[in-house]
Amino acid sequence: MTENATAQPAAGTQPLLSVRHVSKTYGAVRALDDASLELASGEILGLCGHNGAGKSTLVKILTGQVHPDGGEIAMRDAPVELRDPLDAQSKGLAIVDQELALAPDLSVEENLFLGNFDLSLLRRPGAVRRRARDLLSRIGLAVDPRSPLEKLSIGERQLIEIARLVGRDARVLILDEPTATLSENEIERVFAVVRELVREGRSTIFVSHRLDEVLDLCDRVTVLRDGRIVASRSTADIAHRQELIKMMIGRELPPPQRSEAAGVAVGAGAAIAGLRVPPAVADFSLNVEGGQIVGLTGQIGSGTSQVLRALAGLEPDARGGFTLDGGAVRLGAPAAALRAGVAFASNDRKGEGLFLEKTVEDNLVATRLDSLSRLGFIRGGALRETARRLVDFVKVDGDRIGDTVEHFSGGNQQKIFLGRCLDREDVKLLLLDEPTRGVDVAGRAEIHQLIRQAALAGVAVLFASTELDEILDLSDRVVTMFGGRIVASLAREETNAALISADMTMSHERKEVAL
Amino acid sequence: MSTDVATAPTGPGPARTGAGGSREAATRGAFYGAIAVFAALILYGAISTDGFLTMTNVRAILSSVAFVGMVAVGTALIMISGNLFSLAVGSTAAAAAMIFLALLPHGIVLAFAVTLLMGVVVGAMQGFLVGGIGANTIIVTIGAAGLIQGVALWASHGATILPPKGDTSFDWLNGHIFTFAVPIYILFGTVVVLDQFLRRSRFGRRLKLVGENVEAARAAGIRTAWVVIGAFSIAGGLFAFAGLELGAFNESGSLLIEGTQTYDAIAAAVVGGIAITGGRGSVWQALGGAILIAMISDILLLRGYSEGIQILVKGVVVFAVVVLARLNRMRAES
């Protein structure tokens, strides 16, 4: 299986970064097993693998957050020890994290120099501003350095984070799932900046589940599986992401099945009329029939999340009409929405989804406590039975039902989270915001299967995603939003990725694309 | 549901493999640690201090626990709900003592009912402000403490409330059964009932979910405000009950009986190992913390240390527990 595992970067050059035989064990789990890789200067290396394959461990080691049990790391052939993240940064290894390490209340320039100890203690505003302008121009961002960061879009903030690290002379930039929260053209912007930076001789490690992006951006890709590096190949040799998937999971992935449920139930479903959620959603009307899967897409800030949150009762300012199987549902009251048959899975799995310190069982039954109790007291047998049924349903290891959720991988956490909303007789509308964010390919396929199963059982499904692949894979109907309004609502057969991209950006080239 | 059994992966019923359950490891560690600390303390007391292991002294320790334990249990509920603690513990208790004694002429049943109702209502109002409109617990409970003290002082004209002359209707509260004081039995009974209630009731489950992650609880359709109001109401009732017992014990009621109860309640809950961040802990832990602190105070008292030293040692114990708990967590997580 170890196909070409020692593939070298461009021959003849001295590698900028070398990882040699690095291992790390957590308790009984061998998170990283004898991993070696090299990174040439000016190279973009993709790092792929399942959740739990060892990517995060490798990244944590490279950024000084975790110390390896064995092996060594070298910069330009000189072994280095990375004591902590600050030490790693001073040696030129810096990470742009999934959760941005910026202060939204501070100005752009203050963020650019956040934690930068090179600046003299007495601040010289003129010099600082000059340096800020210089950094901003290098990433091609035309914003006033004095404007507060919160005015910037998520994509722009990502660029600020990159500029901040460039300003501290990071030689190796590690991008950990940088595109998970970005829209398509924001992603293009980030990629353009990365390509520009590697031209200066910097190198980049790009960690992502989005394989098409990996193939698009990277020169080489290294695949991890079960803590080992199983392949390291030039992306020019990889024709399609299916090849990459095969390397990641060690087998072929079954092709996705289309939902056959459309038309199962007639008349049942959700009707949304004139929904407003100031300031994000101006006007939103949509019918989702029982058994139908509607995909909602748009750029960040287009209002898709707020539509779902409003229907779940979590937007107090939401106004408009919302009926479920003909019965009106009160907006602004999550408990009322739940009773009416609305199940919601937030895109913020950790903040607004799971109870990380509680067990799998506790999490699975959290929304069902009413039906599992009599006169205010829990029926223990019924609770355990329900939890056991659900844990099998979402295909999570039943022996771990008593473990706390924080110890599960992202994909399993997401399945546990969805388990709470699925397989309930009383659910009529399933609202899912980014149902597979941060989930690997195999986990994603399983989650999509669960969603289709729910639709087959007659549930109306409305989900939001910024990933076009997911929208196209899963939806019976694709609804595109821009600036808080619906700009297109098309059956799956009538649309394609190019068309949706054009709609998302309200691009005028749409007609040409359609032809 | 027999079909489920067929498709279930092999493995016995409620599986607790413990693999990866480092939280459980931490809990187990804390439990054995607590037993070791108790054993060491008893051993140390017995060897070093004359009169520590006598029935009289055990009775004395438990008598002080009877009051502190009650307010510690109430504090535990607030802490588990994820809202830190109340700073109105002592004020509520003092006001309860005054109300109870002042209403005794109307009969003990009425006095009991009104006093407890006062505690519950005052607690519910604070719970509403904290859980319903999201006000800060510290500010709300400081404000409540001021309000309660002000009203108590105004209504009593600053006088100490004494029970009616010759009234013996409350004497049973100061009585003894099998050498132990009645409030001790009341405390243990309360802890047993409350513990079972929290384990078995829907409210108990929701309390822990809300305490761990209030946003997630809201998104899961739990009416979080009601849960917080519930926790504060029960806590307020317990604070009032402790005050009532204290009033009966002292046979007088004034704001002065507040003493260091607020601090002691928080210290006991923290020393008992209840997570200050919410979501975890049981009322037994609060009781354990109260007993531990009472034992330490008792040893210091028997050995003739001044009150200053006693309070200082209490503070040191709180710090030590916080640091140990943190180390235990870090060890379990690494």
Side-chain angles (χ1 to χ4, degrees):
Chain A
M1 280 321 288
T2 324
E3 17 191 330
N4 204 8
T6 49
Q8 296 294 313
T13 53
Q14 179 195 40
L16 180 60
L17 169 76
S18 312
V19 175
R20 294 171 186 148
H21 308 290
V22 165
S23 297
K24 176 72 192 176
T25 306
Y26 292 106
V29 183
R30 202 149 177 79
L32 205 56
D33 190 1
D34 194 27
S36 298
L37 63 84
E38 288 190 338
L39 184 65
S41 81
E43 187 180 34
I44 309 178
L45 176 70
L47 201 56
C48 293
H50 264 328
N51 288 324
K55 296 188 310 267
S56 322
T57 308
L58 183 56
V59 166
K60 281 182 183 156
I61 287 173
L62 287 177
T63 49
Q65 299 172 60
V66 162
H67 299 263
D69 299 333
E72 70 168 10
I73 292 160
M75 294 287 283
R76 297 190 196 288
D77 266 346
V80 289
E81 193 201 341
L82 308 170
R83 284 192 300 275
D84 52 52
L86 214 56
D87 189 40
Q89 276 190 12
S90 74
K91 285 165 180 151
L93 287 158
I95 182 167
V96 178
D97 211 340
Q98 294 173 15
E99 279 99 37
L100 295 178
L102 296 173
D105 296 332
L106 297 183
S107 71
V108 166
E109 67 183 4
E110 280 166 322
N111 270 289
L112 281 173
F113 299 112
L114 209 62
N116 189 335
F117 302 116
D118 297 344
L119 285 186
S120 72
L121 207 55
L122 297 168
R123 301 192 342 155
R124 288 176 302 147
V128 169
R129 190 141 313 141
R130 259 197 310 284
R131 277 183 68 178
R133 289 231 165 82
D134 176 49
L135 281 173
L136 289 174
S137 78
R138 282 169 76 177
I139 55 164
L141 204 57
V143 294
D144 185 343
R146 284 163 300 184
S147 58
L149 187 80
E150 58 189 355
K151 292 256 162 68
L152 272 56
S153 74
I154 303 276
E156 288 169 333
R157 290 186 207 183
Q158 194 119 53
L159 292 174
I160 295 289
E161 175 90 356
I162 292 174
R164 182 168 78 97
L165 299 172
V166 168
R168 301 162 81 170
D169 207 28
R171 305 309 302 173
V172 179
L173 275 174
I174 301 170
L175 305 177
D176 192 1
E177 294 284 354
T179 58
T181 52
L182 301 190
S183 64
E184 301 276 322
N185 49 351
E186 284 177 318
I187 291 171
E188 264 319 307
R189 251 175 113 179
V190 172
F191 282 7
V193 168
V194 169
R195 289 192 182 103
E196 193 55 44
L197 291 175
V198 297
R199 225 163 277 150
E200 299 172 3
R202 294 174 211 278
S203 306
T204 300
I205 296 177
F206 180 67
V207 185
S208 182
H209 288 307
R210 298 187 170 187
L211 305 181
D212 287 332
E213 291 173 7
V214 171
L215 293 177
D216 174 28
L217 180 71
C218 302
D219 304 315
R220 244 177 355 122
V221 58
T222 290
V223 178
L224 281 156
R225 187 167 76 229
D226 302 328
R228 295 174 149 272
I229 290 180
V230 294
S232 199
R233 288 212 267 162
S234 163
T235 49
D237 301 339
I238 301 173
H240 193 266
R241 68 185 160 117
Q242 286 300 339
E243 278 182 59
L244 207 49
I245 293 172
K246 204 176 142 192
M247 286 186 249
M248 283 165 58
I249 63 176
R251 60 185 159 86
E252 298 269 4
L253 197 69
Q257 296 155 284
R258 298 280 315 148
S259 160
E260 302 293 333
V264 161
V266 185
I272 306 145
L275 180 71
R276 277 173 294 121
V277 189
V281 181
D283 180 19
F284 185 95
S285 300
L286 181 71
N287 289 329
V288 186
E289 289 162 27
Q292 194 185 28
I293 304 179
V294 175
L296 201 54
T297 190
Q299 288 179 288
I300 303 285
S302 62
T304 55
S305 273
Q306 285 78 4
V307 166
L308 298 188
R309 295 179 58 79
L311 298 178
L314 290 165
E315 292 282 353
D317 295 334
R319 299 285 178 273
F322 174 28
T323 59
L324 208 49
D325 289 2
V329 184
R330 188 154 64 94
L331 294 170
L338 185 76
R339 267 198 313 272
V342 178
F344 170 65
S346 161
N347 59 7
D348 183 4
R349 184 169 68 223
K350 290 186 174 158
E352 205 183 34
L354 290 168
F355 302 95
L356 290 174
E357 298 181 359
K358 297 279 177 282
T359 64
V360 176
E361 179 178 276
D362 290 339
N363 272 283
L364 285 171
V365 299
T367 51
R368 284 163 230 250
L369 292 176
D370 278 327
S371 64
L372 292 174
S373 49
R374 188 181 295 131
L375 300 173
F377 283 87
I378 299 285
R379 295 181 293 145
L383 183 140
R384 278 186 295 277
E385 198 176 286
T386 303
R388 191 140 284 283
R389 181 166 52 84
L390 285 170
V391 84
D392 291 340
F393 185 73
V394 298
K395 298 191 178 65
V396 169
D397 183 359
D399 287 343
R400 295 181 67 190
I401 197 164
D403 285 359
T404 52
V405 167
E406 61 191 336
H407 300 296
F408 285 81
S409 69
N412 276 326
Q413 284 187 356
Q414 187 71 12
K415 286 198 280 181
I416 294 164
F417 184 24
L418 293 183
R420 192 195 285 171
C421 312
L422 297 167
D423 191 36
R424 280 177 45 185
E425 308 70 31
D426 51 343
V427 169
K428 295 171 187 151
L429 174 65
L430 189 54
L431 302 168
L432 308 166
D433 200 356
E434 300 289 348
T436 60
R437 173 176 289 175
V439 175
D440 61 46
V441 176
R444 206 174 124 133
E446 282 178 10
I447 287 168
H448 284 181
Q449 201 49 47
L450 289 172
I451 296 171
R452 288 194 191 93
Q453 252 171 289
L456 279 170
V459 175
V461 180
L462 180 61
F463 78 99
S465 178
T466 48
E467 270 185 81
L468 290 184
D469 283 346
E470 178 160 83
I471 290 284
L472 292 169
D473 274 0
L474 207 52
S475 313
D476 299 320
R477 170 166 289 274
V478 179
V479 173
T480 314
M481 289 183 73
F482 182 86
R485 290 171 196 280
I486 294 177
V487 292
S489 173
L490 297 165
R492 169 68 186 85
E493 298 76 33
E494 300 165 2
T495 188
N496 57 48
L499 210 56
I500 296 172
S501 293
D503 284 334
M504 271 165 72
T505 53
M506 286 293 274
S507 154
H508 299 301
E509 296 152 39
R510 189 185 152 180
K511 285 215 172 60
E512 292 164 42
V513 172
L515 299 170
Chain B
M1 288 299 151
S2 56
T3 52
D4 294 320
V5 178
T7 57
T10 51
R16 282 197 170 262
T17 60
S22 70
R23 181 84 46 202
E24 283 159 40
T27 311
R28 259 200 313 278
F31 179 70
Y32 291 128
I35 291 197
V37 168
F38 269 110
L41 202 62
I42 290 171
L43 202 65
Y44 172 77
I47 293 169
S48 72
T49 311
D50 284 340
F52 179 75
L53 266 192
T54 60
M55 210 54 209
T56 324
N57 192 42
V58 171
R59 220 179 290 146
I61 292 176
L62 286 178
S63 292
S64 76
V65 167
F67 305 120
V68 176
M70 197 64 101
V71 287
V73 166
T75 298
L77 283 175
I78 293 174
M79 225 176 250
I80 294 170
S81 83
N83 290 295
L84 303 175
F85 38 74
S86 168
L87 293 175
V89 175
S91 316
T92 310
M98 294 164 78
I99 291 174
F100 177 66
L101 294 174
L103 288 179
L104 270 180
H106 304 284
I108 188 166
V109 176
L110 181 89
F112 237 102
V114 172
T115 306
L116 292 187
L117 189 69
M118 181 279 297
V120 170
V121 168
V122 164
M125 289 185 328
Q126 296 170 62
F128 170 74
L129 292 176
V130 171
I133 65 174
N136 179 292
T137 321
I138 306 282
I139 309 291
V140 165
T141 56
I142 282 185
L147 267 166
I148 294 166
Q149 287 173 14
V151 169
L153 216 57
W154 167 70
S156 66
H157 307 289
T160 299
I161 313 278
L162 300 172
K165 278 221 164 19
D167 191 334
T168 55
S169 62
F170 61 90
D171 276 358
W172 59 273
L173 272 170
N174 299 326
H176 290 75
I177 306 172
F178 301 121
T179 84
F180 294 115
V182 168
I184 296 168
Y185 293 98
I186 296 178
L187 173 64
F188 275 83
T190 305
V191 169
V192 169
V193 169
L194 211 51
D195 181 63
Q196 286 301 314
F197 175 69
L198 292 181
R199 275 175 207 283
R200 294 173 191 275
S201 70
R202 188 172 48 188
F203 172 79
R205 289 219 162 219
R206 288 188 172 152
L207 181 70
K208 292 196 168 181
L209 295 180
V210 168
E212 187 190 314
N213 187 342
V214 65
E215 297 299 326
R218 186 172 297 128
I222 293 171
R223 273 166 294 196
T224 57
W226 286 107
V227 174
V228 174
I229 290 171
F232 271 87
S233 302
I234 300 174
L238 294 171
F239 299 157
F241 200 99
L244 179 158
E245 289 175 333
L246 217 55
F249 183 76
N250 292 338
E251 300 199 12
S252 78
S254 75
L255 284 178
L256 292 176
I257 71 166
E258 172 174 352
T260 57
Q261 281 189 67
T262 303
Y263 174 81
D264 291 345
I266 298 166
V270 170
V271 168
I274 293 173
I276 191 86
T277 48
R280 278 177 296 131
S282 82
V283 287
W284 282 107
Q285 286 176 277
L287 180 60
I291 293 175
L292 196 80
I293 289 181
M295 274 166 62
I296 294 170
S297 299
D298 180 74
I299 291 175
L300 295 170
L301 190 73
L302 287 178
R303 307 194 65 176
Y305 288 104
S306 70
E307 203 190 343
I309 298 285
Q310 292 179 38
I311 293 174
L312 185 145
V313 169
K314 263 193 250 178
V316 170
V317 170
V318 170
F319 272 121
V321 166
V322 169
V323 171
L324 281 174
R326 185 70 210 137
L327 290 177
N328 184 38
R329 272 289 292 273
M330 280 160 68
R331 190 180 52 82
E333 275 167 12
S334 69

